[in-house]
Amino acid sequence: MTYRFSGLVAAGAIVAAGAPALAQTEVKIGYALAPDSHYGVAAQKFEEVVTEQTGDAFEFNHFPSSGLGGEREVIEGLQLGTIEATIVSSGTLANFVPDTGVFDIPFLFRDLEHARAVLDGEIGQEILAKFDDVGLHGLAWGEQGFRHITNNRNAIETPEDVQGLKIRTMENPVHQAAFNAMGAAPTPMAWPEVISSLQQGVIDGQENPLSVIVSVKLDEVQEYLTLSGHVYSPAMLLVSKPFWEGLSDEQKEAFETAADEAASAMRGFVDEVETTGVETLKERGMKVNELSAEQKAQFQEEISAAYEGYYETYGQELVDSIVNFE
Ligand code: PAF
């Protein structure tokens, strides 16, 4: 396994010393987080299982920590065939397959079990299949956990506390609508710009799951963490369609098995951080508060203003069928 941190310049340009004479197919896999994050662990599992099943047919080169750019750029690279694989959040996925945005609706899922069952079931798999129409191939749904708000302005307990809060959201219209409905000032921004924007005070806060907050040490730039769990954060293991079409049937099977195991590893990692993350962040000095059921209901009430738009875009029937999924 090779990690490359220097970005596009290195991509494809380096042949490892002592590489076997037989041509290997390069798999550049890019992701936004560090090798020891839930994405890194999944990417390693993906490589491990593909290699177990295909021998040394593929050479994996990992580009963690946004080494190939923001998530949108990486997905575009997959479409062009210049990058083979990625693990991404649902941040920009709706820009490629609009239906994906339905999973970004706040307060849609009761818990992780509910979300995983929907994504692995018919609804999730139908949406995954739509990536084939846009130059991509969706292999499996992974996840990051439920998203929570961090900021430097004040502890958040009621919707009044987010009024005018300059909060970075992903480049995701569903999330932006929700924060607008809450009276915040959402600022969509690609992930690679977020830490410096927090440091410089361009934005007051951001929202991400514990898996991300712990991994990127957001406690170093954020004072308050509010366990709002306002929205589930799916992730996806995607490959380039041109790359996928060049694989034999056996190789495709190996990639599918590997993606399923990678997604399980990612979920296992998230389960672990969900139990230890809050303590870790408190130890690192963050001021943490958890919304009570009543406080959460107030946020839900505020966000209900955005639901009309969600029903229009995705259809109330689909939204209800996800909410009521047993
Ligand atoms: O906030 C985001 O953009 C995503 O959650 C992140 C951190 C890039 C992981 O996919």
Side-chain angles (χ1 to χ4, degrees), residues 27-32 46 71 74-75 78 83-89 93 136 236-240:
V27 178
K28 292 187 286 300
I29 179 161
Y31 39 96
F46 188 54
E71 292 188 329
V74 172
I75 298 171
L78 260 65
I83 302 172
E84 286 72 32
T86 187
I87 299 171
V88 283
S89 67
L93 284 179
L136 301 162
M236 189 182 280
L237 219 149
L238 268 175
V239 289
S240 155

Side-chain angles (χ1 to χ4, degrees), residues 176-206:
Q176 286 159 43
F179 280 97
N180 272 324
M182 282 187 239
T187 309
M189 190 182 281
W191 176 250
E193 295 160 43
V194 174
I195 304 290
S196 60
S197 301
L198 288 169
Q199 275 164 339
Q200 290 158 17
V202 176
I203 43 174
D204 302 313
Q206 64 84 54

Side-chain angles (χ1 to χ4, degrees), residues 42 45-47 49-51 53-54 58 60 125 128-129 132 137-141 237-239 243-245 247-264:
K45 177 56 84 179
F46 188 54
E47 171 179 355
V49 177
V50 169
T51 306
Q53 301 214 354
T54 64
F58 297 93
F60 277 75
Q125 295 309 302
L128 197 69
D132 280 307
H137 182 73
L139 281 172
W141 287 104
L237 219 149
L238 268 175
V239 289
F243 170 75
W244 182 249
E245 284 175 341
L247 299 181
S248 67
D249 287 348
E250 291 73 34
Q251 288 171 336
K252 282 182 179 165
E253 215 173 291
F255 273 76
E256 275 162 356
T257 307
D260 287 346
E261 291 202 26
S264 297

Side-chain angles (χ1 to χ4, degrees), residues 67-258:
L68 292 175
E71 292 188 329
R72 182 197 280 263
E73 282 168 273
V74 172
I75 298 171
E76 285 167 356
L78 260 65
Q79 287 180 312
L80 291 169
T82 54
I83 302 172
E84 286 72 32
T86 187
I87 299 171
V88 283
S89 67
S90 61
T92 65
L93 284 179
N95 298 300
F96 298 88
V97 173
D99 289 357
T100 314
V102 73
F103 300 133
D104 294 312
I105 296 179
F107 301 114
L108 184 77
F109 294 112
R110 294 181 293 280
D111 50 30
L112 290 177
E113 206 187 329
H114 177 201
R116 291 171 183 179
V118 171
L119 293 172
D120 293 343
E122 209 178 311
I123 301 174
Q125 295 309 302
E126 269 178 18
I127 293 183
L128 197 69
K130 293 189 178 177
F131 284 81
D132 280 307
D133 302 334
V134 294
L136 301 162
H137 182 73
L139 281 172
W141 287 104
E143 79 184 3
Q144 310 210 77
F146 278 88
R147 299 179 82 89
H148 306 293
I149 302 173
T150 67
N151 86 101
N152 279 332
R153 200 183 70 176
N154 49 265
I156 293 169
E157 289 176 351
T158 66
E160 285 75 57
D161 297 326
V162 297
Q163 295 311 299
L165 187 78
K166 279 184 271 156
I167 183 160
R168 175 268 176 174
T169 65
M170 299 197 288
E171 297 163 286
N172 179 313
V174 177
H175 288 193
Q176 286 159 43
F179 280 97
N180 272 324
M182 282 187 239
T187 309
M189 190 182 281
W191 176 250
E193 295 160 43
V194 174
I195 304 290
S196 60
S197 301
L198 288 169
Q199 275 164 339
Q200 290 158 17
V202 176
I203 43 174
D204 302 313
Q206 64 84 54
E207 46 85 65
N208 251 303
L210 290 172
S211 56
V212 176
I213 300 171
V214 171
S215 169
V216 300
K217 298 194 170 64
L218 271 166
D219 47 280
E220 290 177 358
V221 287
Q222 294 276 262
E223 192 174 347
Y224 300 101
L225 164 63
T226 299
L227 299 169
S228 49
H230 53 280
V231 68
Y232 175 71
S233 195
M236 189 182 280
L237 219 149
L238 268 175
V239 289
S240 155
K241 185 89 183 287
F243 170 75
W244 182 249
E245 284 175 341
L247 299 181
S248 67
D249 287 348
E250 291 73 34
Q251 288 171 336
K252 282 182 179 165
E253 215 173 291
F255 273 76
E256 275 162 356
T257 307

Side-chain angles (χ1 to χ4, degrees), residues 251-307:
Q251 288 171 336
K252 282 182 179 165
E253 215 173 291
F255 273 76
E256 275 162 356
T257 307
D260 287 346
E261 291 202 26
S264 297
M266 200 182 324
R267 288 174 178 178
F269 192 101
V270 167
D271 282 337
E272 176 69 23
V273 187
E274 291 284 319
T275 54
T276 58
V278 171
E279 226 23 68
T280 305
L281 293 165
K282 280 185 183 165
E283 278 163 20
R284 291 187 196 162
M286 274 193 118
K287 294 177 183 143
V288 184
N289 71 296
E290 179 162 12
L291 294 185
S292 65
E294 293 73 33
Q295 288 170 331
K296 241 185 195 182
Q298 288 178 33
F299 281 91
Q300 262 176 292
E301 177 60 31
E302 293 295 311
I303 288 177
S304 64
Y307 262 70

